Amino acid sequence: MGILSRIKKLFNPGASPKGTPAVNRPPPSGGRTEGGAQAARGGGKPKGKDGAEWRPSGRGADGARRGPRREGDRGGRDGGRSRDRDRSRNDRGGRRRGPRDEGPAATEMRRGGRTAAVAAGEPWDASSWQVPEQDGKRRFLDMAVPEPLMHALADLHFDYATPIQAQALPPALDGRDVCGRAQTGTGKTAAFLLAVFKQLLETPDREGRRKGHPRALVMAPTRELCLQIEHDAEELNKYAGLRLLAVYGGMDMQRQRQALNEKQVDVVVATPGRLLDFRQRQDIDFGDVEILVIDEADRMLDMGFIPDMQRIVYGCPPPDRRQTMLFSATLTPDVRRLASRWMRDQVVVDIEPEHVAADTIDQRVYIATEDQKFTIVYNILRTMKPERVIIFANRRDSTDRLCENLKHQGVDAALLSGAVDQRKRVAVLEAFREGRVPVLVATDVAGRGLHIDGIDLIINFNVPEQAEDYVHRIGRTGRVGEKGVSITFADELDSYYIPPIEEYMKQPLKCIQPPEEWLEPLPQEMLAGRAARSHGGSGRGGPRGGRGGPRGGRGGPRRSGPRRRR
């Protein structure tokens, strides 16, 4: 019996599914506790792994957020406008920093510095970094990486190169053009950043280079990916002393202009629209670019950025006078054609995964009704106690309802969607990276490029309509060899999207019933009017109406035009 037949049988019309919880039961006496939600149905306060009372991570016993912000914290980029067409669905993380009083341009410009490193202790000795040889693995120690970068790699405990790094770094470090493909979460960003920094450290800067004339450009399709690349660059630039600047839409343009005009910038990480805004104002010139990096090239094509990218590429020195690197999770024929036009004698590195989704991800699909799903989510958070979790939904209104109800139940959650102001998005990602907010509720704006360490659980409240979006969502966990869990709910409608995902991944997804403990009633009633269906209505095809067939014409080949912003 096929998966759809099995699910239809389980969702027998007119029969109330066994174990359906009373979602709207009256709240028990005592209501919420300050530190977290009450235990379900007479179980007392839930206990943590250490036996202590459980509360959403990021809060102490008094309900306050843990720990002061670090001294020297960074943040505070202002909101603003750009014609930047960042219809974002987005990307990766680490620890970022809060506000500091250095003046407006200093908050935009980040510089690693050897002076600060030496002042903090003894100069670093490369011989102190001992990494044993392992069969089938390549050590960074064995690559031609300058000592400041080696020091940063040692601090980050990056001992062995991932497959994409092991194959792409040697030609990139030698100055060759590289076109690379590998599945998400395999270290593409570190590969091109190391090559860029090595080139800039070992090649003398041109005398008299003017302000606003960067030596390297790193292009990304979305604002969140820009922020993530900037974060990764800061970590690798810790002892290198290069000047970095990220420019993207949704932030104060004047502040970014000031950073460009006050000091020389070595590396600019940018989205296409905002970068062309600065070029039109003559704040930036690409004539001295030695290295051009295009990240997520397939997204650039998918989001309609190629005309803008052509203007940027043709504004740089010709291919024989620059190094060009192009990296992506997929290399379609269209992307390869662009690479052949923009690159010279490129080395193609194609890491073919055994499975589309990483083997380190434990993928689970639970059969649940729409009314059961929120109860299951709450009980998953209560029983599994994940340190960091992202809950994905397909629509903004669904994420709004979901986040509000989680907060109502005492869960410390934050919202990330295309409707959230950019400054607030940055603050939310900052809090999530630092562990101050353990639960992030998001649309696919966070599905690609967010590389935040320690995400141990992904929940798909809705099955994504595009098969590749499923892969990018669950790819936020189980990164670079770490273990992770993804949980997806297949209800009576979303189950239609599972077969295309199985076909895309070339592996089956086993659908099972949720444990009984996940169906225990909520400690409080859901908010009034928030228990409506999360699918967002008609117009999506099949049972939802109007696009032909149960899959709504989706889940198949990728569209060539711009994708709708979430």
Side-chain angles (χ1 to χ4, degrees):
M1 184 182 295
I3 183 172
L4 294 178
S5 302
R6 288 188 282 120
I7 292 176
K8 286 179 180 177
K9 184 177 180 180
L10 287 166
F11 290 109
N12 183 19
S16 177
K18 184 179 179 180
T20 302
V23 175
N24 295 318
R25 68 191 281 272
S29 60
R32 293 166 56 188
T33 63
E34 186 173 339
Q38 280 191 330
R41 193 157 58 184
K45 294 185 175 67
K47 303 295 182 181
K49 295 176 182 177
D50 56 357
E53 177 189 340
W54 176 80
R55 57 182 59 83
S57 62
R59 295 185 180 272
D62 58 355
R65 298 192 185 279
R66 283 193 203 131
R69 294 177 68 86
R70 295 190 303 275
E71 185 178 6
D73 278 23
R74 130 187 186 212
R77 296 181 180 140
D78 294 338
R81 285 191 159 183
S82 169
R83 63 180 185 76
D84 199 335
R85 298 173 298 163
D86 300 333
R87 306 178 191 139
S88 50
R89 303 181 165 214
N90 295 334
D91 284 92
R92 179 187 179 220
R95 298 170 304 278
R96 294 182 63 81
R97 303 158 195 161
R100 63 182 177 192
D101 299 327
E102 298 181 329
T107 57
E108 292 295 338
M109 181 81 70
R110 302 296 170 217
R111 179 170 186 166
R114 305 173 206 252
T115 305
V118 172
E122 294 290 330
W124 187 67
D125 182 5
S127 63
S128 65
W129 189 26
Q130 299 295 322
V131 179
E133 294 186 9
Q134 288 191 17
D135 291 339
K137 291 187 177 182
R138 185 162 187 175
R139 304 180 301 175
F140 284 108
L141 277 172
D142 300 327
M143 298 186 186
V145 178
E147 185 175 295
L149 302 180
M150 198 77 73
H151 190 179
L153 289 169
D155 286 355
L156 295 168
H157 304 289
F158 288 179
D159 298 334
Y160 303 97
T162 63
I164 184 66
Q165 293 166 352
Q167 293 192 35
L169 262 176
L173 292 173
D174 288 340
R176 298 279 304 277
D177 287 1
V178 174
C179 180
R181 179 186 80 92
Q183 64 191 122
T184 185
T186 54
K188 299 187 297 292
T189 304
F192 66 70
L193 286 175
L194 286 171
V196 168
F197 291 169
K198 176 184 182 290
Q199 171 78 0
L200 299 187
L201 288 172
E202 295 185 349
T203 304
D205 194 358
R206 184 178 66 82
E207 186 176 352
R209 180 171 61 93
R210 292 184 294 171
K211 297 170 185 175
H213 285 236
R215 300 179 66 191
L217 277 181
V218 179
M219 302 305 304
T222 61
R223 292 169 279 190
E224 282 74 15
L225 181 53
C226 253
L227 285 168
Q228 183 52 53
I229 294 173
E230 183 196 23
H231 169 266
D232 294 345
E234 289 170 3
E235 290 190 328
L236 292 173
N237 187 47
K238 186 176 180 181
Y239 307 107
L242 299 168
R243 292 193 180 275
L244 316 173
L245 177 65
V247 295
Y248 46 89
M251 288 298 188
D252 185 8
M253 191 175 197
Q254 185 57 38
R255 182 165 294 188
Q256 295 175 354
R257 288 184 69 193
Q258 187 177 351
L260 274 172
N261 295 329
E262 280 191 350
K263 296 180 180 180
Q264 286 184 340
V265 181
D266 296 307
V267 181
V268 169
V269 183
T271 51
R274 176 53 64 93
L275 190 67
L276 288 174
D277 284 343
F278 284 127
R279 188 191 186 202
Q280 185 174 359
R281 294 168 177 261
Q282 298 183 350
D283 292 312
I284 194 168
D285 189 280
F286 312 146
D288 289 326
V289 168
E290 303 167 30
I291 310 171
L292 173 65
V293 178
I294 303 167
D295 195 18
E296 299 286 8
D298 57 340
R299 288 296 307 280
M300 293 277 196
L301 185 68
D302 202 24
M303 295 171 69
F305 279 126
I306 296 307
D308 284 351
M309 280 305 306
Q310 287 176 332
R311 294 173 61 192
I312 292 167
V313 171
Y314 296 143
C316 295
D320 60 348
R321 289 175 46 204
R322 71 167 192 262
Q323 181 182 9
T324 306
M325 290 180 280
L326 184 150
F327 287 86
S328 181
T330 57
L331 287 179
T332 63
D334 288 338
V335 173
R336 289 179 182 269
R337 278 194 292 272
L338 290 175
S340 65
R341 286 160 46 192
W342 295 346
M343 307 170 84
R344 56 170 172 77
D345 192 25
Q346 69 267 26
V347 177
V348 178
V349 178
D350 195 347
I351 307 298
E352 184 69 35
E354 184 177 347
H355 301 289
V356 175
D359 293 333
T360 53
I361 304 172
D362 178 9
Q363 300 179 59
R364 308 175 189 176
V365 179
Y366 290 103
I367 299 172
T369 66
E370 178 67 25
D371 292 335
Q372 287 177 320
K373 290 198 293 187
F374 181 81
T375 301
I376 296 174
V377 167
Y378 173 78
N379 284 310
I380 286 174
L381 299 178
R382 179 180 62 84
T383 57
M384 294 182 66
K385 305 177 183 64
E387 292 184 9
R388 282 193 184 91
V389 55
I390 301 180
I391 305 173
F392 285 105
N394 287 355
R395 294 174 59 94
R396 294 176 185 175
D397 54 349
S398 302
T399 57
D400 290 343
R401 287 193 295 268
L402 185 53
C403 190
E404 289 174 15
N405 273 293
L406 286 171
K407 291 177 179 178
H408 181 63
Q409 301 295 334
V411 176
D412 192 1
L415 178 66
L416 186 70
S417 74
V420 177
D421 174 79
Q422 181 63 21
R423 274 196 293 180
K424 189 172 182 180
R425 278 201 225 179
V426 173
V428 165
L429 287 174
E430 170 83 8
F432 187 62
R433 287 186 182 109
E434 294 180 350
R436 292 183 282 112
V437 174
V439 179
L440 186 66
V441 182
T443 58
D444 286 296
V445 74
R448 196 159 180 173
L450 273 184
H451 309 289
I452 297 178
D453 295 333
I455 298 177
D456 41 11
L457 176 62
I458 297 295
I459 297 177
N460 287 313
F461 197 81
N462 304 118
V463 181
E465 298 168 359
Q466 292 283 349
E468 65 186 43
D469 287 340
Y470 172 84
V471 174
H472 292 305
R473 285 183 184 184
I474 69 173
R476 300 313 98 206
T477 189
R479 303 182 70 84
V480 195
E482 295 183 354
K483 298 292 184 181
V485 176
S486 75
I487 290 176
T488 301
F489 298 134
D491 64 20
E492 55 270 37
L493 297 184
D494 278 348
S495 57
Y496 284 98
Y497 294 111
I498 292 179
I501 293 173
E502 294 177 315
E503 181 180 352
Y504 180 76
M505 296 197 304
K506 296 180 175 58
Q507 66 181 94
L509 292 175
K510 183 179 179 181
C511 297
I512 58 177
Q513 295 284 357
E516 287 294 326
E517 62 179 331
W518 289 359
L519 297 173
E520 292 191 13
L522 297 168
Q524 297 196 78
E525 289 184 0
M526 295 180 69
L527 293 172
R530 298 299 196 265
R533 298 195 60 80
S534 299
H535 294 298
S538 64
R540 291 191 181 273
R544 305 181 190 181
R547 284 200 189 171
R551 298 175 193 172
R554 308 185 67 116
R558 167 187 292 205
R559 298 177 301 181
S560 59
R563 298 179 69 171
R564 179 180 56 202
R565 181 174 178 174
R566 290 288 178 190

